[in-house]
Amino acid sequence: MAELNIVLYEPEIPANTGNIGRTCVATGTKLHLIEPLGFSLDEKHLKRAGMDYWKDLDVKTYVNWEDFCKKNPNAKIYYATTKAKKTYVDVNYESDCFIMFGKESAGIPEEILKMNRETSVRIPMIGETRSLNLSNSVAIVLYEALRQNKFDHMKLEGELHRLKWDE
């Protein structure tokens, strides 16, 4: 079973983290938050964006990058950054990998990226656009990883409530 992980490095905006938390619940993905956070985990904007899903979220927090590395020594990590040479579709996401995103104002520190060039990925954009919204970026890359893992453990078909599709 695919057990993907999203890592947010020092997220700053509670609504983004709330939206990402909701996406993680909907996909069975674990969320890892590396402090310092730009908000409190009981902040109303976080819970508003995450709605009633936040209580179902598998979330772990870490005091800093070193704490995260110490507690996840064998993690295969992909680093989502606008600075990467490869796109997010150029890699094969393992079923238990971690996909890391940086804080909204600065991204992932370049010291971390430099040590992980081969597993750094980007979302293509035109012109000089700095970046996409963090929660949108997470959804784009996470769903590619899920697709590559054949949407393992996910509901693949929807249904109408009052009518049937074949009527």
Side-chain angles (χ1 to χ4, degrees), residues 8 41 89-90 102 109 120 126 132 158:
L8 301 182
L41 287 178
V89 298
D90 292 333
S120 291
I126 62 170
L132 296 173

Side-chain angles (χ1 to χ4, degrees), residues 3-137:
E3 294 187 9
L4 297 169
N5 299 271
I6 293 296
V7 181
L8 301 182
Y9 181 91
E10 300 181 4
E12 299 166 315
I13 301 173
N16 282 337
T17 301
N19 288 332
I20 292 164
R22 183 176 181 173
T23 299
C24 287
V25 170
T27 58
T29 302
K30 294 178 187 169
L31 179 60
H32 303 261
L33 302 175
I34 299 174
E35 298 177 347
L37 308 179
F39 50 86
S40 165
L41 287 178
D42 60 0
E43 190 162 327
K44 70 177 182 175
H45 296 294
L46 176 76
K47 292 189 175 169
R48 180 173 181 230
M51 296 182 68
D52 55 342
Y53 295 96
W54 195 259
K55 66 181 176 12
D56 299 320
L57 179 62
D58 186 353
V59 62
K60 296 178 178 18
T61 59
Y62 305 88
V63 296
N64 55 33
W65 172 244
E66 291 75 21
D67 183 40
F68 172 81
C69 292
K70 180 180 170 188
K71 292 179 177 168
N72 299 284
N74 300 316
K76 173 68 178 207
I77 306 171
Y78 294 93
Y79 301 84
T81 174
T82 59
K83 299 167 180 79
K85 301 290 183 192
K86 295 179 190 175
T87 72
Y88 72 101
V89 298
D90 292 333
V91 298
N92 294 315
Y93 299 95
E94 295 81 358
S95 63
D96 60 348
C97 72
F98 290 68
I99 307 168
M100 185 167 136
F101 297 81
K103 61 178 152 182
E104 291 90 339
S105 66
I108 299 169
E110 289 190 359
E111 297 77 25
I112 294 172
L113 295 175
K114 186 169 176 148
M115 295 184 304
N116 298 286
R117 179 180 182 157
E118 289 305 309
T119 54
S120 291
V121 298
R122 67 177 284 115
I123 299 169
M125 295 175 285
I126 62 170
E128 296 302 315
T129 307
R130 285 192 317 273
S131 65
L132 296 173
N133 173 275
L134 180 61
S135 60
N136 292 339
S137 297

